[in-house]
Amino acid sequence: MVKKDKNIQGEVIISADIGDVWDAWTTEAGVKTFFAPDCKIDLRPGGAYEMYFSPESPPGLRGGEGCRILALQPTSMLSFTWNAPPSLPEVRGHYTHVLLRFFAKTDSTRVSLRHDGWGTGGQWDQAFSYFTSAWLKVVLPRLQYRFSHGPIDWEAPPALK
């Protein structure tokens, strides 16, 4: 019997042009409108893809530090490594994989997300649970919010369902 890998999958439809949605994920200015209040992006394979959720914290405690771009195909695909939050030190040094795909529609863009590369047990299970909620209940809804209501106000982020 084959055991399927554990993964997180999500999808959203964004009422915006594919180029604008791509820029939201791949430029520092775009990321700051929905994903994180600060970041470092070097848009090339091996380049940085770091999200700073607590930019005022000391290095190593700011968020998605050390993450790298694995592959990209402009306006079509972005893949990057991802790590657990500092509150989960057993697994923080292990990097998982996120794959985003972008599909142009007539008057919108479909974004699909897949996050895999998970271990099992202990803090791996906590990280999986954490990111299932983070991607599906925070990040993807904030992307939709950004294109329907404007950039996230990081001083007072919206409560999303």
Side-chain angles (χ1 to χ4, degrees), residues 23-36:
D23 288 348
W25 284 96
T26 61
T27 67
E28 290 180 1
V31 160
K32 292 176 187 178
T33 67
F34 84 99
F35 199 169

Side-chain angles (χ1 to χ4, degrees), residues 38-98:
D38 202 3
C39 62
K40 178 181 178 184
I41 297 175
D42 179 6
L43 196 60
R44 62 180 177 83
Y49 196 77
E50 299 185 353
M51 300 300 130
Y52 306 139
F53 302 103
S54 299
E56 303 303 320
S57 294
L61 300 175
R62 295 180 292 178
E65 295 164 282
C67 298
R68 299 273 172 218
I69 294 173
L70 296 171
L72 67 137
Q73 185 175 16
T75 71
S76 179
M77 181 269 296
L78 174 66
S79 179
F80 50 90
T81 62
W82 201 243
N83 61 356
S87 61
L88 299 173
E90 281 178 32
V91 295
R92 180 156 170 80
H94 299 269
Y95 290 86
T96 54
H97 323 106
V98 176

Side-chain angles (χ1 to χ4, degrees), residues 87-153:
S87 61
L88 299 173
E90 281 178 32
V91 295
R92 180 156 170 80
H94 299 269
Y95 290 86
T96 54
H97 323 106
V98 176
L99 173 64
L100 297 169
R101 294 208 179 266
F102 302 81
F103 304 92
K105 301 293 184 187
T106 303
D107 57 355
S108 62
T109 301
R110 180 169 57 98
V111 178
S112 72
L113 175 143
R114 179 182 171 99
H115 187 170
D116 63 14
W118 300 97
T120 56
Q123 288 190 349
W124 278 112
D125 292 342
Q126 292 173 329
F128 182 82
S129 178
Y130 175 89
F131 283 113
T132 298
S133 180
W135 290 122
L136 304 180
K137 295 180 181 178
V138 179
V139 178
L140 293 178
R142 281 185 180 170
L143 177 66
Q144 287 180 305
Y145 180 95
R146 180 263 179 262
F147 281 99
S148 62
H149 295 89
I152 299 296
D153 174 357

Side-chain angles (χ1 to χ4, degrees), residues 3-25:
K3 182 180 175 187
K4 288 190 162 197
D5 278 339
K6 187 164 50 169
N7 64 77
I8 299 165
Q9 295 184 51
E11 185 173 284
V12 290
I13 304 295
I14 307 299
S15 296
D17 176 77
I18 195 168
D20 294 337
V21 178
W22 173 259
D23 288 348
W25 284 96

